[in-house]
């Protein structure tokens, strides 16, 4: 997206949210060249997000899949539904802010793990063990150690 002030291509999204009419997304952007901020509106239907799976198949981004994975990881942990909802919101915002049309599922997994790590250690390790399909116990212990060292 070109900056309307200086025409630089070097702009990035600093905030995305649904516009009042709910059929478009309002984005605040920052130009890295001249540091000015501007707002754009984009129609929701023009930005479907496609997830590239490990087998290279494509599917439409589905928030409920992320939610289900996190719920499973947080099973019987002291984490409120509100905290989980907020986590999924944060993850979704981060994904959409990347402004990619296609995102590898591995990138989404890393984002989820990053956020979970800050929320709850046990849930994080559970999610990571499924997501990264730990090849051996050493990899798993490395992950655990990283958490315990913090
Ligand atoms: Zn500019």
């Amino acid at each position: 997206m070109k900056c309307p002030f200086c025409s630089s291509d070097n702009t990035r999204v600093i905030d995305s949210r649904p516009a009042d009419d709910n059929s478009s997304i309002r984005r605040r952007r920052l130009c890295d060249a001249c540091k000015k901020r501007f707002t754009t509106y984009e129609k929701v239907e023009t930005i479907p997000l496609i997830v590239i799976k490990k087998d290279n198949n494509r599917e439409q981004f589905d928030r409920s899949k992320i939610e289900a994975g996190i719920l499973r990881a947080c099973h019987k942990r002291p984490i409120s539904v509100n905290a989980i909802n907020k986590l999924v919101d944060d993850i979704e915002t981060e994904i959409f802010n990347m402004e990619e049309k296609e995102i590898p599922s591995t990138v989404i997994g890393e984002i989820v793990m990053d956020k979970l790590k800050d929320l709850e250690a046990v849930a994080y390790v559970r999610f990571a063990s499924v997501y990264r399909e730990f090849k051996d116990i050493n990899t798993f212990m490395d992950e655990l150690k990283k958490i315990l060292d913090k």
Side-chain angles (χ1 to χ4, degrees), residues 132-143:
R132 286 189 174 141
E133 292 155 24
F134 287 124
K135 294 278 186 294
D136 55 72
I137 190 68
N138 289 339
T139 324
F140 184 75
M141 293 310 285
D142 285 348
E143 287 300 318

Side-chain angles (χ1 to χ4, degrees), residues 3-8 11 31-36 38:
C3 169
F5 303 104
C6 72
S7 297
S8 166
T11 64
C31 172
D32 279 326
C34 70
K35 303 294 176 203
K36 289 204 169 84
F38 57 101

Side-chain angles (χ1 to χ4, degrees), residues 62-91:
D62 184 354
R63 176 191 164 108
S64 64
K65 282 195 178 168
I66 292 179
E67 205 165 8
I70 291 173
L71 279 173
R72 214 177 305 136
C74 294
H75 184 62
K76 289 193 174 168
R77 299 303 304 165
I79 307 164
S80 70
V81 172
N82 278 345
I84 291 175
N85 276 336
K86 189 183 172 299
L87 186 80
V88 180
D89 281 347
D90 287 351
I91 292 164

Side-chain angles (χ1 to χ4, degrees), residues 89-106:
D89 281 347
D90 287 351
I91 292 164
E92 209 178 15
T93 303
E94 187 158 334
I95 291 169
F96 277 103
N97 281 355
M98 291 169 71
E99 297 196 289
E100 301 287 344
K101 289 196 169 63
E102 294 190 320
I103 294 185
S105 61
T106 46

